[in-house]
Amino acid sequence: MSVSSVWLGIGFLGQLLFTSRFLVQWIVSERRGESVVPLAFWWFSLAGGLTLLSYAIWRQDPVFILGQATGLFVYVRNLILIRRRKGEVTS
């Protein structure tokens, strides 16, 4: 198996993780009967974004790198806000 094949697999894995976030959001929203962004959405976003960023760096694609790196800040920030809110609720 070549290095290119491994990286192609990593790219597809990242895309699968990233797409999974929408599936999770859709399923949870359908079950609740309203639009919901569950915690899993942000974790799948982070995992998919990190994996796709790794692939973009390997490809040396500055547009792809910038897009994925920027998104990571949003995903991490949302996880921080959710954690902070949970801490306030339990206090």
Side-chain angles (χ1 to χ4, degrees):
M1 183 176 282
S2 70
V3 172
S4 291
S5 295
V6 170
W7 277 107
L8 190 59
I10 290 170
F12 279 121
L13 173 64
Q15 193 59 53
L16 176 67
L17 289 167
F18 206 69
T19 300
S20 294
R21 70 193 193 136
F22 292 115
L23 295 174
V24 166
Q25 191 272 333
W26 178 38
I27 291 167
V28 171
S29 292
E30 286 294 331
R31 286 182 180 166
R32 293 189 187 175
E34 64 181 333
S35 182
V36 178
V37 180
L39 182 61
F41 177 90
W42 299 113
W43 284 111
F44 275 111
S45 297
L46 183 60
L50 283 169
T51 307
L52 287 171
L53 177 60
S54 299
Y55 178 72
I57 291 169
W58 176 76
R59 296 272 319 227
Q60 299 179 347
D61 184 329
V63 174
F64 196 8
I65 291 168
L66 180 63
Q68 290 303 318
T70 304
L72 291 175
F73 288 107
V74 175
Y75 314 143
V76 169
R77 180 63 178 151
N78 275 284
L79 287 166
I80 290 169
L81 292 171
I82 291 166
R83 186 172 199 183
R84 185 180 298 160
R85 186 170 184 207
K86 285 184 178 182
E88 290 173 3
V89 171
T90 58
S91 297

